[in-house]
Amino acid sequence: MRTVLISGAGVGGPTLAYWLARAGFQPTVVERARGQRSSGNPVDVRGPALPVAEQMGVVPALREAATTVRAMRLIDSRGRRGVRLPMPSGRSAAGTAEIEVPRADLATILYAAARDHAEFVFDDTITAMSPDPGGVDVTFERGRPRRFDLVVGADGLHSTVRRLAFGPERDFVRHLGVYVATTPLGEPVDHPGEALMYNTPGRLISVHPSRGDALLAFIFRGAFRPDLDHRDTAAHKRVLLSAYGKDRSWRVPAFLDRVRASDDLYFDGVSRVVLPGWSRGRSTLLGDAAASVSLFGDGSSMAIAGAHTLAGALRESDDPAVALRRYEAEHRRRTDAKGRAARFAAALIVPGTRPGIALRNAAARVALHGRTAA
Ligand SMILES: Cc1cc2nc3c(=O)[nH]c(=O)nc-3n(C[C@H](O)[C@H](O)[C@H](O)COP(=O)(O)OP(=O)(O)OC[C@H]3O[C@@H](n4cnc5c(N)ncnc54)[C@H](O)[C@@H]3O)c2cc1C
C-alpha cells in the first residue's frame, strides 16, 4: 500500500501527510478551500499533540505564532473585572509547555511542514468514491479521476468522506445545544495577557487577544436547526444577531456591528460525532470527522495526535484492515473521554440562567481557593 488520499488540509490532514511521507507513503491532500483559511479562534496544542509537534520541528514556529494569553477573566455587564482563571499549563515529557495558537496559524504551520513531502491540491473536493478490496476509485469536482490505496477523511465536522463512505451527517452528528461563532475584532486590546469572558443567560462573548488584534467569540445556546446550511454566512449572521440582538449591555452592540461587517466569520454548531467504527474497507476518518467535539474536546490536539497514531499503524502493518483497527483502538481511548465531558463543559461555559452563572462563578472562586485577583 503506497498511495493515500487525504481530504482536508486543516489540522489533521497536513499532519498525517507529513508522517505518511516520512514512513514512505505517497500522500495527496485535497482541500476544498482555495488556500489556507484565515478564520478561527485560538486553539491549544497540548497533551499527546505536543510530542508530535516536537518531532515535526514546528514548536519554534508555534511559539512565534502563540497568543500571549495566560488567563481568562470573567467580567460583569459594566465591564468590571471579576474572577481570574489561569490557563492550564501542562508540559510534554521533554518540557515543552502547551501552546495556544490561532487555528489558522496552526494549520498554516502544519501545512508548511508537510508541503514539500506531499502533493497538495486546493480548490477541489471528492465527489464520489468506488471502493473495492484493493483500493478506491475517486472522482473530483475539478481534477481527473484517480485511484488510491486508501482514502482518509480529515475534512472536519461536515466531512464529505464520512458522507460518501458511511452515510448522511444526521446519522452521526449530535448537536450539543450550543453554537459558536468567531470573528476578528479588528483592533488591539489593552489586556494582552487575559481573555475576557462575559456571560448572560445562555450566552457568552469572549474577547481573546491575539498578537496585535483580538478575536471575538460568541458561544450561545440554541436548538438544532436542520435547515441551516453550514456554508451560508448570511444565515449564520442572522442566527447570531437574533440570539444577541436585544442585548445592550457592556460592549455587545459594538461587537454585533463587527459581526454585521465581518467577511471572516466562523460559525458552527458545537456537535459530537459518534460513529460505531471509523473505517469502511479502504476509507477511514480522522479528527473532527471521526470523533472530536471541536470546541470542548481539544479538537486540534486530537487531530494531531490521531494523525500520528494513524500513520504509525499504517507503517507497522502491511494489512490496512489490521492497521486501521489498531489506529482506532489506540486513538479512541483519547477521544471517548473528551466526548463524555463535552455536555458538562457546554453547561459550564454558557449557564442558562443568572443563578447558574452566579453558581459557576462561585465554584470557580472556590476552585481557585480565593486566588482571585482584584
Ligand atoms: C475555518 C475553521 C475555523 C475554525 N474555528 C474554530 C474555532 O474558532 N474554535 C474551535 O473550537 N474550533 C474551530 N474549528 C474547528 C477546529 O479547528 C477543529 O476541531 C480542529 O481543527 C480539528 O481538525 P481537523 O483536521 O479534524 O478539521 P479542520 O481543522 O476543521 O479541517 C478540515 C479541513 O477540511 C476542509 N474540507 C471540508 N470539507 C472538505 C471537502 N469536501 N473536500 C476537501 N476539503 C474539505 C476544510 O476546509 C478544512 O480545511 C474551526 C475549523 C475551521 C475549518
Side-chain angles (χ1 to χ4, degrees):
M1 203 181 69
R2 290 195 57 75
T3 56
V4 181
L5 175 64
I6 302 164
S7 175
V11 174
T15 310
L16 179 64
Y18 173 92
W19 286 103
L20 284 178
R22 275 189 56 165
F25 294 88
Q26 284 173 16
T28 297
V29 184
V30 59
E31 163 62 48
R32 190 202 286 277
R34 293 222 167 133
Q36 286 286 316
R37 311 262 300 270
S38 64
S39 53
N41 232 12
V43 293
D44 295 305
V45 179
R46 60 158 73 122
L50 274 179
V52 179
E54 283 163 358
Q55 290 168 56
M56 292 174 76
V58 297
V59 169
L62 292 175
R63 289 241 168 281
E64 221 160 90
T67 73
T68 47
V69 172
R70 298 286 168 266
M72 289 185 278
R73 175 79 75 170
L74 305 180
I75 63 161
D76 71 12
S77 60
R78 289 195 230 150
R80 289 180 302 204
R81 300 182 178 198
V83 183
R84 184 177 188 274
L85 307 164
M87 305 277 268
S89 55
R91 286 178 183 274
S92 72
T96 307
E98 58 184 66
I99 308 165
E100 188 191 71
V101 58
R103 181 202 167 275
D105 293 280
L106 174 61
T108 302
I109 289 166
L110 295 170
Y111 165 63
R115 76 178 154 212
D116 293 338
H117 312 289
E119 177 190 12
F120 278 82
V121 181
F122 287 91
D123 195 17
D124 206 351
T125 179
I126 298 172
T127 49
M129 304 193 309
S130 307
D132 59 56
V136 190
D137 291 313
V138 181
T139 59
F140 298 91
E141 207 165 82
R142 291 166 179 273
R144 63 182 167 80
R146 290 169 69 177
R147 182 172 173 81
F148 294 89
D149 297 329
L150 179 73
V151 177
V152 181
D155 41 6
L157 186 60
H158 308 288
S159 168
T160 295
V161 171
R162 190 184 57 222
R163 175 171 54 77
L164 294 172
F166 292 82
E169 187 166 309
R170 62 174 179 272
D171 293 352
F172 310 110
V173 178
R174 315 250 190 284
H175 182 66
L176 293 180
V178 174
Y179 288 92
V180 57
T182 63
T183 194
L185 177 64
E187 60 189 61
V189 289
D190 62 1
H191 47 87
E194 288 183 348
L196 305 185
M197 289 173 64
Y198 174 54
N199 274 99
T200 50
R203 295 188 294 266
L204 166 78
I205 294 182
S206 89
V207 183
H208 203 116
S210 179
R211 288 181 305 141
D213 194 351
L215 286 149
L216 280 173
F218 301 82
I219 303 175
F220 57 100
R221 294 185 177 220
F224 177 56
R225 294 166 176 256
D227 50 334
L228 192 64
D229 179 342
H230 69 267
R231 286 191 281 171
D232 183 348
T233 302
H236 299 161
K237 287 186 181 181
R238 281 197 299 277
V239 172
L240 170 55
L241 293 170
S242 82
Y244 288 83
K246 295 197 181 99
D247 192 343
R248 294 275 164 271
S249 58
W250 190 37
R251 296 169 59 197
V252 178
F255 292 156
L256 295 180
D257 284 342
R258 297 282 178 188
V259 171
R260 285 186 191 92
S262 175
D263 56 5
D264 187 9
L265 183 77
Y266 167 78
F267 182 99
D268 217 330
V270 176
S271 308
R272 186 176 175 197
V273 176
V274 183
L275 280 146
W278 293 346
S279 305
R280 280 264 161 98
R282 294 286 185 125
S283 355
T284 193
L285 301 172
L286 170 68
D288 280 5
S292 291
V293 195
S294 52
L295 188 62
F296 302 120
D298 275 350
S300 300
S301 289
M302 288 296 107
I304 292 170
H308 183 255
T309 302
L310 175 55
L314 289 167
R315 187 190 59 221
E316 272 158 37
S317 175
D318 291 337
D319 181 345
V322 171
L324 296 178
R325 269 202 304 276
R326 190 174 296 167
Y327 152 61
E328 182 164 342
E330 194 176 321
H331 190 51
R332 239 187 216 281
R333 282 201 289 271
R334 301 180 186 124
T335 60
D336 277 0
K338 302 282 175 195
R340 281 193 296 273
R343 247 177 224 288
F344 178 66
L348 206 63
I349 200 162
V350 272
T353 60
R354 283 200 189 281
I357 295 170
L359 195 65
R360 192 273 316 266
N361 294 355
R365 259 185 223 107
V366 171
L368 289 166
H369 296 293
R371 280 191 291 129
T372 54

